[in-house]
Structures are given as structure tokens and as C-alpha cells.
């Protein structure tokens, strides 16, 4: 079902009228209005780019330390329906100031580069001791762009996150995985990614930890538990362990380690 696009005042954002194309699909989870991708910022004409860099600025405050940016409203509206909505609603209380206090300034720093250049940094060009730090920042960027409805940035962020993990030889732990399930919808590809990472860690015969490592994630999110179990099932290659009703009954008895058990000879008769 189509919904009418927002039409800016004649004196404001003259270049975006034809770019705001929205639709809603009620067969899927609620995500708000979706806008068809606008042209890559690096591919815009000189005239359009000059218009993007004109007009009023928006004061944006990010993180607990309240780091500030002053960015062009035109360029924010060009990319994001979320910022467009902030302007539509007038921000009467804040007079053009937007606060993203739950988000990471490192992530917003990467977003600023993308807003103005259409790309983020390449992790392969970074020294080894910076790769994991950058991968973590890309995870935070993904979460931020989930809120701002910027799928193109999310795709770049998750690619750089995966590459950073691989090149650094590190993977996120439970403390990094939990926020993904707290702040993304059930269909999020990032959920699929981190649940598969957890499943692989649990299945690794050389790992020193077991599933209890992810207790806080299991307790916080049933979805995480389900996704990990399904990933383990998928990753097991269809191999089925022995029937527990047919195994040596001693395995299920209570006694001291190494103690003999008279019931150990019990077997189910088929």
C-alpha cells in the first residue's frame, strides 16, 4: 500500500521532492516508511551537491559524553527519512537539536563520512592492532543505522565488521552480542551473523568454553537461544547423536565420578 510522500515547502529542500518514495508492506514487521535508495552521494551532479551543502545546519549530540556535530540539514534529509521526520515534527522542544545519547560517537563519526562521501573506511588498510576496534565501531554503526533506516550503510558496516573479525582473528563475545538482540528486529541479518558465531564457538571441539559462556544472552533473549540452536542444527550437517533412551543407563545416574554402578549393564531391548 502506497502512502503519500512528504513534500517539503517550496523554499526548502527543492531537490528532494522526487526522491522521497515511500511504501509500506503489511506482510512484514513494522519498520516505518521505506524510501527507495537515493543516488550515491559521490555520483550526484555538482549542482545537486552544492545544494546539499547549503541551507541550515542541524546540531546533533551523540553518546553519553554528548559529542556534537553540526551537519547540513539538506544532506541529512537526502539520506534519511528519520532525520526528515525530525524536521517535519519541528523539534519544537529542541529547536533543531537532535540527541542520540544511546549511540556510539565512533559509529556516528563513520556515518558522517558516509553521509558526505558515500563510503566508510576499509579495515584491510588498517594496522593489525586497530582492526578489532574498527570492527566493533562498525557493529555500533549498524545498530545506529537500524534506527536511522539506512540499509546501504548497514550493508557496508556488516561487511567491514566481518572482515575486521576475520583479519583480527577475533569474534564478539556475549557482551557484544547482547546489544544486537536488544536493538535490532527479529529479521536482522546481524542477529543471524552473531548467532552463527556463537554456535560455531559452542561446536568447536578445541574451544575451552561451552554454552554457559552465553548464559546472559540466553537469559535476556529467547530469540538468541532459538537462533543459536537452529544454527547448531544447520551446522551439524544432519548428523544425529545416539538415542538417549537406548544408551548406557549409568550416564543418567547419580554417583561419584569413577564409582562403579550396578545398573551400568542396563540396555533397552528393542
Amino acid at each position: 500500500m502506497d502512502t503519500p510522500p512528504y513534500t517539503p515547502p517550496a523554499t526548502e529542500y527543492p531537490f528532494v521532492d522526487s526522491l522521497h518514495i515511500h511504501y509500506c508492506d503489511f506482510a512484514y514487521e513494522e519498520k516505518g516508511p521505506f524510501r527507495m535508495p537515493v543516488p550515491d552521494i559521490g555520483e550526484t551532479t555538482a549542482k545537486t551537491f552544492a545544494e546539499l551543502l547549503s541551507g541550515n545546519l542541524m546540531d546533533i549530540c551523540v553518546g553519553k559524553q554528548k559529542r556534537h556535530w553540526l551537519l547540513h540539514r539538506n544532506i541529512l534529509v537526502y539520506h534519511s527519512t528519520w532525520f526528515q521526520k525530525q524536521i517535519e515534527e519541528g523539534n519544537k522542544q529542541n529547536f533543531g537539536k537532535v540527541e542520540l545519547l544511546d549511540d556510539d560517537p565512533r559509529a556516528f563519526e563513520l556515518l558522517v563520512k558516509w553521509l558526505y562521501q558515500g563510503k566508510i573506511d576499509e579495515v584491510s588498510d588498517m594496522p593489525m592492532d586497530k582492526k578489532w576496534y574498527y570492527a566493533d565501531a562498525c557493529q555500533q554503526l549498524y545498530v545506529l543505522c537500524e534506527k536511522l533506516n539506512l540499509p546501504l550503510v548497514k550493508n557496508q558496516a556488516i561487511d567491514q565488521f566481518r572482515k575486521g573479525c576475520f583479519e583480527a582473528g577475533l569474534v564478539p563475545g556475549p557482551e557484544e552480542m547482547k546489544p544486537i538482540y536488544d536493538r535490532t528486529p527479529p529479521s536482522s541479518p546481524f542477529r543471524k551473523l552473531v548467532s552463527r558465531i556463537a554456535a560455531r564457538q559452542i561446536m568447536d571441539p578445541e574451544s575451552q568454553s561451552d554454552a554457559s559462556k552465553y548464559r546472559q544472552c540466553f537469559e535476556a533473549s529467547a530469540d538468541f537461544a532459538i537462533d543459536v540452536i537452529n544454527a547448531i542444527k544447520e551446522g551439524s550437517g544432519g548428523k544425529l547423536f545416539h538415542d538417549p533412551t537406548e544408551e548406557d543407563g549409568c550416564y543418567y545416574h547419580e554417583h561419584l565420578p569413577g564409582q562403579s554402578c550396578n545398573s551400568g549393564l542396563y540396555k533397552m531391548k528393542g
Side-chain angles (χ1 to χ4, degrees):
M1 178 182 295
D2 292 328
T3 57
Y6 165 63
T7 303
T11 57
E12 189 177 26
Y13 321 120
F15 54 90
V16 297
D17 290 7
S18 62
L19 300 177
H20 288 192
I21 306 170
H22 304 267
Y23 72 84
C24 289
D25 190 334
F26 295 100
Y28 297 94
E29 65 198 38
E30 178 62 33
K31 291 185 178 179
F34 179 86
R35 182 171 63 178
M36 299 299 289
V38 296
D40 188 307
I41 192 74
E43 301 299 324
T44 58
T45 65
K47 181 178 186 299
T48 298
F49 192 69
E51 289 174 334
L52 290 171
L53 297 183
S54 66
N56 295 330
L57 300 178
M58 178 175 282
D59 185 7
I60 302 175
C61 184
V62 185
K64 295 179 180 179
Q65 302 302 317
K66 297 187 176 182
R67 184 174 172 188
H68 280 266
W69 278 266
L70 283 173
L71 303 179
H72 297 88
R73 284 189 178 187
N74 285 354
I75 211 164
L76 294 170
V77 170
Y78 179 80
H79 288 296
S80 172
T81 57
W82 189 89
F83 285 111
Q84 177 188 333
K85 184 177 179 181
Q86 302 303 304
I87 295 171
E88 287 175 13
E89 294 177 349
N91 278 314
K92 296 179 180 178
Q93 299 296 324
N94 295 322
F95 302 102
K97 183 176 181 180
V98 172
E99 293 188 335
L100 296 166
L101 303 184
D102 293 331
D103 293 290
D104 192 324
R106 297 177 305 157
F108 198 82
E109 189 174 80
L110 294 176
L111 178 61
V112 171
K113 178 180 175 69
W114 185 88
L115 290 172
Y116 285 84
Q117 298 183 5
K119 61 183 179 179
I120 60 175
D121 295 333
E122 171 58 52
V123 70
S124 295
D125 297 335
M126 298 178 181
M128 184 61 68
D129 63 343
K130 302 294 184 182
K131 292 181 185 293
W132 171 250
Y133 179 84
Y134 183 67
D136 184 61
C138 286
Q139 174 176 321
Q140 302 303 322
L141 174 62
Y142 189 100
V143 171
L144 170 62
C145 291
E146 186 71 59
K147 176 193 300 183
L148 303 183
N149 193 19
L150 290 170
L152 296 179
V153 194
K154 289 195 297 181
N155 290 342
Q156 291 189 32
I158 199 169
D159 286 347
Q160 291 298 321
F161 174 82
R162 292 176 61 240
K163 189 183 295 186
C165 290
F166 179 77
E167 294 183 5
L170 297 170
V171 293
E175 62 279 4
E176 288 94 17
M177 293 181 177
K178 185 177 179 297
I180 292 296
Y181 276 79
D182 290 341
R183 301 183 63 186
T184 63
S187 63
S188 172
F190 218 117
R191 286 192 177 197
K192 180 186 296 185
L193 173 61
V194 297
S195 63
R196 288 187 175 186
I197 290 173
R200 192 170 187 272
Q201 293 292 299
I202 293 170
M203 295 172 68
D204 185 356
E206 298 182 1
S207 175
Q208 299 298 314
S209 58
D210 59 16
S212 63
K213 173 180 178 180
Y214 300 96
R215 180 184 295 276
Q216 63 172 295
C217 295
F218 293 140
E219 292 176 346
S221 174
D223 286 344
F224 178 81
I226 292 169
D227 290 346
V228 170
I229 292 170
N230 285 336
I232 290 174
K233 179 180 179 181
E234 180 182 335
S236 67
K239 184 178 180 181
L240 188 64
F241 52 75
H242 294 296
D243 183 351
T245 67
E246 192 179 14
E247 292 176 329
D248 186 341
C250 184
Y251 182 81
Y252 302 100
H253 293 166
E254 295 183 10
H255 49 60
L256 296 175
Q259 182 181 6
S260 61
C261 180
N262 293 332
S263 299
L265 301 176
Y266 170 73
K267 291 281 188 179
M268 287 290 291
K269 300 295 183 181

